[in-house]
């Protein structure tokens, strides 16, 4: 099983450039989310989606854009990269729980992004 | 928003020792998960445990939702247990999963 697939695994950008981090899952999960992890820290939620066409902001949404046109894909866009966005980015998916919340999350292997 | 605190921040064990990691959270939750991040950075879901007790081999977890804490027990630790252990919660009625800062574990051979 492929699970959650993130591409690329590594990327170097220059300040001001834009790019899209890809995330795809093959488990028909309703819930998908993006996190960033900075050195020595936990994961911080950027954006999440509870289904196709529905997205919402997490803890640190500024500078990032998302869309959810299909159940399988949830791309993360950096509109104008800044050095402060240097981080490791993780995508996760899960089934939607009843009464809100979500079921066990499955994570991709991450994208290591450096912005010069 | 909901706050998640993990303790201890760092832990060094001799192989074979037991340990307990703690996760405190500030609001009611309908979802609590424990993850292990291995030295290669991969996040592995260990337990989905909004309440009660679960066991998986040498690992077990207990969540006391009414007192807003969860415990992860590691018995007979092995060097492969090294890494960072994260607790993550989703508040009741919400969809945002918030992570604690983690406990960094190093198991010495």
């Amino acid at each position: 099983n492929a699970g959650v697939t993130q591409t690329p695994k590594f990327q170097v950008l220059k300040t001001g450039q834009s790019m899209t981090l890809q995330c795809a899952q093959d488990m028909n999960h309703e819930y998908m989310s993006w996190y960033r992890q900075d050195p020595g820290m936990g994961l911080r939620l950027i954006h999440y989606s509870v289904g196709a066409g529905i997205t919402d902001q997490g803890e640190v949404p500024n500078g990032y854009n998302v869309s959810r046109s299909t159940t399988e894909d949830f791309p993360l866009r950096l509109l104008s990269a800044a050095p402060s966005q240097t981080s490791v980015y993780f995508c996760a998916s899960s089934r939607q729980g009843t009464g809100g919340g979500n079921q066990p999350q499955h994570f991709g292997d991450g994208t290591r992004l450096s912005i010069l | 928003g909901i706050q998640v605190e993990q303790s201890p921040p760092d832990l060094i064990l001799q192989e074979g020792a037991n340990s307990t990691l703690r996760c405190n959270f500030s609001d009611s939750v309908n979802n609590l998960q424990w993850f292990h991040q291995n030295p290669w950075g991969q996040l592995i879901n260990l337990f989905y445990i909004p309440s009660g007790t679960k066991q998986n081999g040498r690992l077990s977890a207990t969540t006391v939702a009414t007192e807003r804490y969860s415990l992860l027990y590691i018995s007979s630790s092995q060097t492969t247990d090294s890494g960072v252990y994260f607790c993550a919660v989703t508040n009741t009625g919400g969809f945002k999963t918030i992570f604690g800062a983690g406990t960094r574990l190093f198991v010495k051979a």
Side-chain angles (χ1 to χ4, degrees):
Chain A
N1 290 337
V4 180
T5 302
Q6 291 185 236
T7 56
K9 295 189 183 305
F10 302 93
Q11 184 71 46
V12 179
L13 293 177
K14 294 181 179 179
T15 298
Q17 287 185 314
S18 63
M19 89 160 288
T20 300
L21 307 185
Q22 302 291 344
C23 176
Q25 53 93 7
D26 61 358
M27 297 171 282
N28 202 31
H29 285 166
E30 300 93 341
Y31 186 93
M32 296 185 74
S33 53
W34 278 102
Y35 295 85
R36 61 177 287 174
Q37 184 178 28
D38 298 312
M41 296 181 65
L43 282 73
R44 291 184 291 169
L45 181 64
I46 304 172
H47 286 286
Y48 66 95
S49 168
V50 299
I54 307 170
T55 64
D56 205 347
Q57 297 180 349
E59 301 172 276
V60 288
N62 293 341
Y64 306 95
N65 198 6
V66 292
S67 60
R68 184 95 178 270
S69 57
T70 67
T71 299
E72 295 77 18
D73 300 300
F74 190 42
L76 178 72
R77 298 181 185 85
L78 279 69
L79 307 175
S80 178
S84 61
Q85 294 178 303
T86 293
S87 189
V88 180
Y89 291 84
F90 288 96
C91 177
S93 75
S94 67
R95 295 203 62 81
Q96 185 76 11
T98 56
N102 49 70
Q103 298 294 313
Q105 287 182 292
H106 302 261
F107 277 80
D109 288 342
T111 295
R112 189 174 298 273
L113 181 62
S114 293
I115 300 166
L116 307 177
Chain B
I2 193 167
Q3 304 296 314
V4 183
E5 293 184 358
Q6 293 186 241
S7 59
D10 298 282
L11 185 59
I12 300 174
L13 297 177
Q14 193 66 43
E15 195 171 28
N18 303 326
S19 64
T20 300
L21 283 57
R22 187 177 179 101
C23 172
N24 292 333
F25 43 95
S26 61
D27 204 350
S28 61
V29 299
N30 62 6
N31 182 339
L32 187 142
Q33 302 173 81
W34 283 98
F35 293 89
H36 176 222
Q37 187 169 40
N38 64 26
W40 297 270
Q42 295 174 317
L43 283 154
I44 308 300
N45 195 308
L46 299 174
F47 292 102
Y48 168 78
I49 184 167
S51 63
T53 298
K54 290 186 177 179
Q55 183 156 3
N56 184 1
R58 296 180 295 103
L59 303 182
S60 64
T62 295
T63 298
V64 183
T66 53
E67 298 187 20
R68 300 182 183 171
Y69 74 89
S70 183
L71 302 174
L72 177 68
Y73 305 95
I74 304 175
S75 64
S76 303
S77 58
Q78 300 176 358
T79 56
T80 53
D81 294 333
S82 296
V84 185
Y85 290 80
F86 289 107
C87 168
V89 303
T90 307
N91 58 317
T92 301
F95 297 98
K96 296 181 180 180
T97 296
I98 304 301
F99 278 70
T103 292
R104 187 175 301 272
L105 173 65
F106 180 68
V107 181
K108 299 186 295 184

